[in-house]
Amino acid sequence: MGKMTIEDLATIRMQPAQGCVAAGGGRVRINVHMGTCGIAAGARDIMTAVMKEVEARDLHDVIIMNSGCAGLCSKNR
């Protein structure tokens, strides 16, 4: 995978806001931490896989969210 661009980040940010997520009222919420450390650890691939699976299963009660850093890097000392 190549380096991410500002446009890539903008696309990722907008994708969870489409489809079933925009409807709200979901039964399940999935939160993927998309801070720089999360992206470096593979969060982009996780977000893409989760979104594809939700779409493939035609789930309308799942809310996919992203957030910044989970703050766990300092816990590994």
Side-chain angles (χ1 to χ4, degrees), residues 7-52:
E7 291 79 19
D8 292 334
L9 293 173
T11 300
I12 290 169
R13 182 172 184 214
M14 295 309 296
Q15 286 176 344
Q18 297 172 353
C20 63
V21 177
R27 184 173 56 91
V28 175
R29 181 177 71 179
I30 300 171
N31 188 17
V32 180
H33 295 281
M34 298 286 287
T36 50
C37 57
I39 292 171
R44 181 181 185 190
D45 295 334
I46 297 297
M47 178 66 91
T48 301
V50 168
M51 290 171 48
K52 284 181 181 178

